[in-house]
Amino acid sequence: MNTEILGIVFTFTATILLALPVGKYIAKVYSGESTLLDPVFNPLEQLFFRLSGINSATGMTWKQHLYAMLTINLVWFFVCFLVLTNQSWLPLNPDGNPSMTPDLAFNTAISFLVNCNLQHYSGESGVSYLSQLMLMFLQFVSAGVGLAVGAMVFNALKERQTDQLGNFYDYFLKSCTRILLPLSVIVAIILVFNGTPMTFEGKDTITTLQGDTVQVSRGPAAAFVAIKHIGTNGGGFFGANSAHPLENPNYLTNMVELFAQMIIPLAMIFALGYYLKRRRLSYMIFGVMTIGFLLLAIPTVISEMNGSPAINKLGISQTAGAMEGKEVRFGAAISGFWSIATTVISTGSVNSMHDSSMPMSGAMQMLSMMINAIYGGCGVGILNFYVFIILAVFISGLMVGRTPEFLGKKVEAREVKIAAFIAILHPLLILSGTALSSYFTSHNTAMAYWFSGNATGWLNNPSYHGFSEMLYEYTSSAANNGSGFEGLSDNNPFWNLSTGIILLLGRFIPIIGPVAIAGLLARKKYIPESAGTLQTDTATFGIMVFAVICIIAALSFFPALALGPLAEYFSM
Amino acid sequence: MKSTILASVKLTAICLVFFSVVYPAFIWAVAQVSPNQGKGFVVHAEQSSNKGSGDYYTNIAQSFTEDKYFWNRPSAVGYNAAGSAGSNKGPSNAEYLKQVSERIDTFMVHHPYLSRKEVPAEMVTASGSGLDPDISVQSANVQVKRIATARHLEEKKVQELVRLQTQKPLLGIFGPSKINVLQLNMALDQIR
């Protein structure tokens, strides 16, 4: 078999196999069972809690969870905003990079806070090393928050009838120290020994073999790149993200980084099964997600390997596939695969430039983020899927004429309303943003303060592809993904503020919704399973969930996709 | 209210120290025993026919324009590693296709022995980072004759060098074969 395909198959299979033990470990961490790392982390966490005056043993209701979570997020936002707007004179700035403008700092701070890592700056010239470390802190804690609310929902699903759903700080800190940190250390060490820099020295100046003088940016990249993937953050240390030869030096590191971004989302699915002692439920979820993933990934890999029809018309040899925006050491196949892995999961790191992907791949990348419930980001992926489960339970309950139940709890009007609202919010955010920017573009509006020049100036490509650039940007923001059709000129008040607001809404409302549903359900009386109970861990129910996802995503987004990537596909 | 904010601030401060200072310091310490102390892999330049000197970054592409060197792929950032980016041109962009067409013509002028359908697409399309240090075996092979002529070497000798410098897929089974252009060119300079 083709070595490029073999590389994909091996990486994907190995990740799934490793996700099983990691999932078991995560379930142990959240249920408080003893693990190998206890001797290290028990005293450490106790120290952290004593110093900050938190009693990590107090139970919290779902509302108290949300309150604690939102408060600490607010603190992080202000700290990060201050660092970014003052980085020019703060220490650890060997390259003398300037401070961020307030609108860019607003966007960047939010974007890292919400686990998105949309970057309207380039790492080499836009941030100091201090800011990089600050952003790396957010990469840890934002992933930790996602996992913590995931754990709270796990707890709510398990308990028979209760208000007390564990302690937010406890789940949060354990997620950071016991799950994210050990995996990051392993990945960072592999990266360091494969050529990713980990130094605090600034740019190096070299004279090339031909006698030109160029500079080479460096920095503490290895530590950053590890957590950027383990925490499904995706923000690049350098501008070109994981396409950069220092950030992702060879095929091995590429496999490791792919593994690193997929491991926790996959493991969380299995962790749910171990935690609830309902393994069949997690196999159902895994099955639905994996079928969806393959349906998105396979057409992408094929279209990238086939290459560009427009380049074929120029009459040259395109045996390696579509190579514009790609790197030779990875090749077209795994670059296509990565582009789907990074968009279904909310990583958003790229090892090829999505703006130059084939139209079919662009459509698949956007669809991945529009569905936003396949594997998904750290913790939040399973929350998004949970919303679709609730909808599917409700719809199938109506179809067979039974009271809808999920895990022994009656799903009633209030929960379904919340779920429906969350499901509709995602298209609403994406399509309103795209409609607004498209309106300005089609009228070529003079944007004054909001953008230097007329609106069409922010596009790097004309026609259908230009529309795709705007659609992709808002899709990526609402899905908290962070990748982009990077040709778009997005470092200006219009894009910084509009995507910043969508980032916030797209992060916190889809967390609040499922947490509320789970909290409300946990309070209800437990109804033991009977012959009349709708089975939710069967293939039939899996198909039902899959259908609900397809209908919601396809119906809401098909028109927008038709105007962008599909129109481009049929015009080439 | 006040106690929640205070607890959040304190926990933030402690986590900042742990995840932004202790963790990177640990990775930095590990990096001190890695090749070149975590400053990126370098290859030392022998003082031979080249005009430059000192160390080169193995993984960072350099601009090669002279006929006697193997060329890298086109770069959207002019091979300046103080930045990095792709062209971000969409596949149906007419202006972009015109630019590729011009690159093909230029490539054909320097390689008059090639027919148009032998020109590898990767040599006329920009890489993702603008710093792609590698080319495929096919892309090296088509340049062999030009280099042999410019250096007055036997074609066979240059071809042999390409064969030696080819890096096989990982463990022989994963991913594409590739050639690091900088190392190939440095080896080329060693031939007397």
Side-chain angles (χ1 to χ4, degrees):
Chain A
M1 205 177 4
N2 180 321
T3 53
E4 291 194 46
I5 300 288
L6 214 54
I8 297 176
V9 173
F10 176 78
T11 312
F12 189 45
T13 319
T15 309
I16 292 172
L17 292 178
L18 283 164
L20 286 159
V22 176
K24 196 164 199 167
Y25 170 76
I26 292 177
K28 277 186 175 177
V29 168
Y30 290 140
S31 55
E33 289 172 45
S34 62
T35 60
L36 264 179
L37 297 173
D38 280 355
V40 189
F41 289 119
N42 276 345
L44 190 80
E45 287 159 6
Q46 276 162 18
L47 178 74
F48 283 15
F49 284 132
R50 207 170 54 239
L51 289 175
S52 44
I54 291 170
N55 180 359
S56 63
T58 357
M60 289 181 169
T61 65
W62 66 269
K63 283 183 187 163
Q64 287 169 326
H65 266 274
L66 290 178
Y67 180 60
M69 185 271 284
L70 293 171
T71 310
I72 202 163
N73 270 277
L74 198 65
V75 172
W76 295 336
F77 170 76
F78 284 118
V79 176
C80 184
F81 186 83
L82 279 179
V83 170
L84 294 176
T85 45
N86 292 291
Q87 61 183 6
S88 63
W89 59 269
L90 286 168
L92 287 181
N93 187 11
D95 297 338
N97 290 334
S99 294
M100 280 191 183
T101 56
D103 57 296
L104 178 59
F106 170 81
N107 185 283
T108 307
I110 287 180
S111 154
F112 279 77
L113 184 74
V114 304
N115 200 249
C116 172
N117 298 197
L118 197 69
Q119 294 171 294
H120 290 175
Y121 64 90
S122 246
E124 295 93 337
S125 52
V127 282
S128 68
Y129 292 166
L130 184 78
S131 297
Q132 295 274 29
L133 293 176
M134 181 68 218
L135 296 173
M136 192 182 74
F137 163 76
L138 286 183
Q139 293 187 326
F140 268 102
V141 294
S142 67
V145 162
L147 288 169
V149 289
M152 191 232 100
V153 170
F154 281 14
N155 194 349
L157 294 174
K158 189 182 192 178
E159 295 298 331
R160 286 289 157 101
Q161 187 178 4
T162 184
D163 256 348
Q164 304 295 309
L165 298 168
N167 184 287
F168 169 76
Y169 300 110
D170 187 43
Y171 286 147
F172 159 70
L173 192 60
K174 276 183 176 167
S175 307
C176 293
T177 52
R178 296 176 188 226
I179 299 170
L180 299 171
L181 184 69
L183 288 168
S184 298
V185 167
I186 297 169
V187 172
I189 290 174
I190 296 174
L191 288 174
V192 156
F193 281 91
N194 280 281
T196 302
M198 186 66 204
T199 173
F200 289 90
E201 291 178 27
K203 279 183 199 135
D204 194 8
T205 305
I206 59 165
T207 308
T208 69
L209 206 52
Q210 265 196 184
D212 308 325
T213 305
V214 294
Q215 290 185 308
V216 178
S217 277
R218 299 176 295 181
F224 189 97
V225 177
I227 181 60
K228 115 179 176 194
H229 284 116
I230 289 294
T232 66
N233 295 283
F237 190 90
F238 301 106
N241 208 304
S242 278
H244 196 291
L246 294 181
E247 194 150 339
N248 193 357
N250 56 40
Y251 200 81
L252 175 70
T253 59
N254 193 57
M255 288 166 99
V256 170
E257 288 179 22
L258 253 177
F259 156 82
Q261 60 182 298
M262 300 186 87
I263 186 70
I264 290 185
L266 280 167
M268 276 300 269
I269 306 169
F270 299 124
L272 179 71
Y274 290 119
Y275 189 90
L276 299 178
K277 303 205 167 49
R278 286 176 188 268
R279 304 257 290 268
R280 278 173 57 102
L281 178 68
S282 62
Y283 296 147
M284 183 280 284
I285 299 176
F286 174 75
V288 171
M289 287 182 171
T290 303
I291 289 168
F293 175 68
L294 293 176
L295 287 177
L296 291 162
I298 292 169
T300 308
V301 171
I302 292 173
S303 78
E304 292 304 321
M305 289 181 81
N306 281 345
S308 164
I311 299 277
N312 269 341
K313 281 186 199 143
L314 296 176
I316 55 173
S317 156
Q318 207 180 185
T319 44
M323 288 306 285
E324 178 73 38
K326 293 198 183 61
E327 301 279 296
V328 168
R329 64 192 178 283
F330 311 137
I334 209 163
S335 300
F337 183 81
W338 175 305
S339 79
I340 295 303
T342 194
T343 44
V344 292
I345 297 165
S346 76
T347 322
S349 66
V350 296
N351 75 348
S352 68
M353 294 301 129
H354 290 188
D355 215 346
S356 302
S357 298
M358 293 303 101
M360 187 48 75
S361 314
M364 293 296 159
Q365 290 155 9
M366 283 190 245
L367 195 54
S368 301
M369 296 184 286
M370 288 162 174
I371 295 170
N372 202 22
I374 297 173
Y375 303 144
C378 270
V380 292
I382 213 140
L383 295 193
N384 291 336
F385 195 82
Y386 178 59
V387 168
F388 285 111
I389 290 184
I390 296 294
L391 291 176
V393 163
F394 176 67
I395 293 168
S396 30
L398 290 182
M399 285 166 74
V400 295
R402 283 193 196 123
T403 327
E405 282 169 30
F406 182 56
L407 302 182
K409 298 297 173 82
K410 249 188 227 171
V411 177
E412 289 170 301
R414 200 167 166 199
E415 291 85 48
V416 176
K417 273 187 204 159
I418 300 174
F421 175 72
I422 301 298
I424 292 169
L425 176 78
H426 192 54
L428 181 74
L429 291 177
I430 295 172
L431 298 176
S432 336
T434 312
L436 185 70
S437 60
S438 302
Y439 176 84
F440 290 138
T441 312
S442 59
H443 289 77
N444 201 16
T445 316
M447 299 299 289
Y449 161 78
W450 296 96
F451 177 76
S452 53
N454 288 3
T456 43
W458 61 46
L459 297 181
N460 189 40
N461 289 287
S463 183
Y464 310 121
H465 198 86
F467 175 78
S468 298
E469 286 184 337
M470 296 185 284
L471 178 63
Y472 195 107
E473 186 75 2
Y474 285 113
T475 307
S476 173
S477 307
N480 285 179
N481 182 272
S483 61
F485 273 16
E486 289 298 339
L488 187 76
S489 305
D490 44 19
N491 182 14
N492 46 69
F494 177 79
W495 287 97
N496 282 336
L497 296 182
S498 65
T499 54
I501 292 162
I502 289 185
L503 284 167
L504 276 180
L505 297 174
R507 166 74 164 183
F508 291 107
I509 297 178
I511 285 182
I512 295 171
V515 163
I517 297 175
L520 291 171
L521 289 183
R523 240 174 21 202
K524 292 186 185 182
K525 223 178 94 197
Y526 181 79
I527 312 158
E529 276 182 37
S530 68
T533 308
L534 175 76
Q535 297 293 322
T536 49
D537 53 5
T538 59
T540 321
F541 185 72
I543 293 168
M544 191 68 203
V545 182
F546 192 80
V548 169
I549 293 175
C550 287
I551 291 164
I552 289 180
L555 281 185
S556 332
F557 293 110
F558 185 75
L561 287 175
L563 288 174
L566 296 183
E568 188 182 13
Y569 175 79
F570 287 113
S571 70
M572 272 177 83
Chain B
M1 169 87 189
K2 212 174 134 193
S3 68
T4 311
I5 294 176
L6 198 64
S8 301
V9 171
K10 283 185 190 164
L11 188 60
T12 301
I14 297 161
C15 286
L16 255 175
V17 172
F18 191 64
F19 294 112
S20 291
V21 180
V22 178
Y23 161 70
F26 176 71
I27 304 298
W28 180 85
V30 173
Q32 299 315 301
V33 298
S34 74
N36 199 30
Q37 287 102 44
K39 292 175 195 167
F41 287 178
V42 289
V43 46
H44 188 67
E46 301 292 330
Q47 296 293 324
S48 56
S49 64
N50 71 62
K51 286 171 264 177
S53 62
D55 290 342
Y56 300 136
Y57 288 86
T58 323
N59 291 325
I60 298 290
Q62 297 185 359
S63 167
F64 291 109
T65 50
E66 295 172 16
D67 269 346
K68 62 175 184 158
Y69 283 125
F70 282 92
W71 296 346
N72 268 304
R73 299 183 57 202
S75 162
V77 293
Y79 305 98
N80 189 355
S84 58
S87 72
N88 286 315
K89 294 291 183 195
S92 63
N93 187 333
E95 196 189 315
Y96 156 71
L97 291 168
K98 201 173 142 240
Q99 194 186 4
V100 174
S101 207
E102 284 162 8
R103 287 199 196 120
I104 298 172
D105 294 340
T106 313
F107 200 83
M108 298 280 290
V109 168
H110 286 269
H111 305 81
Y113 49 89
L114 288 180
S115 72
R116 197 173 171 93
K117 64 175 189 295
E118 286 171 312
V119 175
E122 64 180 60
M123 293 307 294
V124 292
T125 51
S127 63
S129 60
L131 307 171
D132 190 348
D134 305 306
I135 55 174
S136 68
V137 181
Q138 184 200 6
S139 297
N141 284 340
V142 297
Q143 300 185 52
V144 164
K145 191 167 176 178
R146 183 196 82 223
I147 286 145
T149 315
R151 292 189 176 245
H152 309 294
L153 288 168
E154 271 179 74
E155 241 178 87
K156 254 194 336 211
K157 213 165 173 182
V158 182
Q159 192 67 57
E160 174 65 11
L161 199 64
V162 169
R163 198 185 62 78
L164 285 173
Q165 288 285 329
T166 302
Q167 299 170 26
K168 292 266 172 282
L170 181 63
L171 306 175
I173 45 176
F174 301 133
S177 301
K178 62 182 168 101
I179 295 170
N180 184 299
V181 178
L182 174 65
Q183 286 175 327
L184 178 60
N185 282 335
M186 290 175 74
L188 203 55
D189 277 343
Q190 297 298 315
I191 302 181
R192 292 287 158 187

